[in-house]
Amino acid sequence: MKKYLIIILIIFFVSCSTSVDCGKSIHTDFVDFTYLKNYNEFVYKSKINAVADNEVYYTTNFSLNLPKNIKGWLISDNEFYFEYANKQIVYIYSGYKNEGVAGKWTIQETNDDEIYSKLSSYWDKRKYNENNLKTGHTGRVSKFLSDGKVTILLYNIKRENFDKYLDLAKSFKYLD
């Protein structure tokens, strides 16, 4: 019996050491990140707004389901980065409530310049080789999902994972 318990603990720690979403869920004043069995639920609920030239830009609060096995994640202003194995990345630009008009969600092709403008700061922070920040990786797909206000970039996603990532990205909901 003791042998089986040790094996289970080893398997748990090895699998958890490679992803951040197998521990306790995160609940703060501005983020709820709930690690569920088949996906993760991310809720952003910030009360901090931006001000420029006496104009207030209201934060867009939202919820979104994300794939399991997140290797790392980062929030920078209204940009969100969720990284998976082999540099598969879900990037979200949430904008501000009074910026842009939300419409029908569409899937759009990407190009290297658009990807670079969205991911270069994250890429630099992670000290990744800039030459790898390009489209056209064999067996990988990169596309934008946008409603005109929010942009979600599914970057470098393995073909066999793309439909799952896209379905989860389509779960995006605006919150009041």
Side-chain angles (χ1 to χ4, degrees), residues 51-57:
V51 178
D53 295 329
N54 298 325
E55 185 162 352
V56 177
Y57 293 89

Side-chain angles (χ1 to χ4, degrees), residues 14-104:
V14 168
S15 66
C16 283
S17 68
T18 60
S19 65
V20 298
D21 56 1
C22 63
K24 280 189 164 185
S25 296
I26 298 168
H27 301 285
T28 69
D29 290 341
F30 67 97
V31 168
D32 284 330
F33 208 164
T34 307
Y35 305 141
L36 302 170
K37 182 179 179 183
N38 296 319
Y39 61 91
N40 298 311
E41 180 183 55
F42 182 80
V43 177
Y44 183 68
K45 52 187 181 176
S46 179
K47 294 178 181 152
I48 298 172
N49 299 307
V51 178
D53 295 329
N54 298 325
E55 185 162 352
V56 177
Y57 293 89
Y58 297 98
T59 300
T60 299
N61 294 312
F62 64 90
S63 69
L64 173 77
N65 295 333
L66 293 163
K68 292 296 290 178
N69 301 317
I70 294 172
K71 302 299 177 205
W73 59 287
L74 172 72
I75 299 174
S76 178
D77 296 322
N78 53 356
E79 295 181 294
F80 304 81
Y81 305 85
F82 302 93
E83 185 172 348
Y84 298 84
N86 306 110
K87 296 182 182 70
Q88 297 176 100
I89 296 173
V90 175
Y91 162 86
I92 302 161
Y93 173 76
S94 65
Y96 296 99
K97 283 183 183 179
N98 50 335
E99 176 183 80
V101 178
K104 181 181 177 196

Side-chain angles (χ1 to χ4, degrees), residues 84-175:
Y84 298 84
N86 306 110
K87 296 182 182 70
Q88 297 176 100
I89 296 173
V90 175
Y91 162 86
I92 302 161
Y93 173 76
S94 65
Y96 296 99
K97 283 183 183 179
N98 50 335
E99 176 183 80
V101 178
K104 181 181 177 196
W105 287 93
T106 59
I107 299 172
Q108 303 158 7
E109 296 297 323
T110 61
N111 65 49
D112 289 343
D113 292 336
E114 292 170 322
I115 288 172
Y116 184 82
S117 73
K118 301 295 186 207
L119 297 181
S120 63
S121 66
Y122 178 77
W123 217 251
D124 291 342
K125 286 178 188 166
R126 301 285 291 156
K127 297 186 183 347
Y128 289 155
N129 182 338
E130 191 175 295
N131 292 331
N132 292 334
L133 191 58
K134 305 231 185 279
T135 57
H137 298 234
T138 305
R140 303 300 181 106
V141 179
S142 296
K143 294 196 187 255
F144 284 111
L145 178 65
S146 180
D147 70 347
K149 182 181 195 81
V150 168
T151 300
I152 301 171
L153 170 61
L154 302 175
Y155 170 74
N156 197 40
I157 308 300
K158 291 181 181 179
R159 265 190 217 291
E160 62 269 18
N161 294 342
F162 186 78
D163 289 337
K164 179 181 177 181
Y165 278 54
L166 180 61
D167 287 343
L168 289 168
K170 287 179 178 179
S171 73
F172 185 97
K173 290 184 182 117
Y174 292 98
L175 303 175

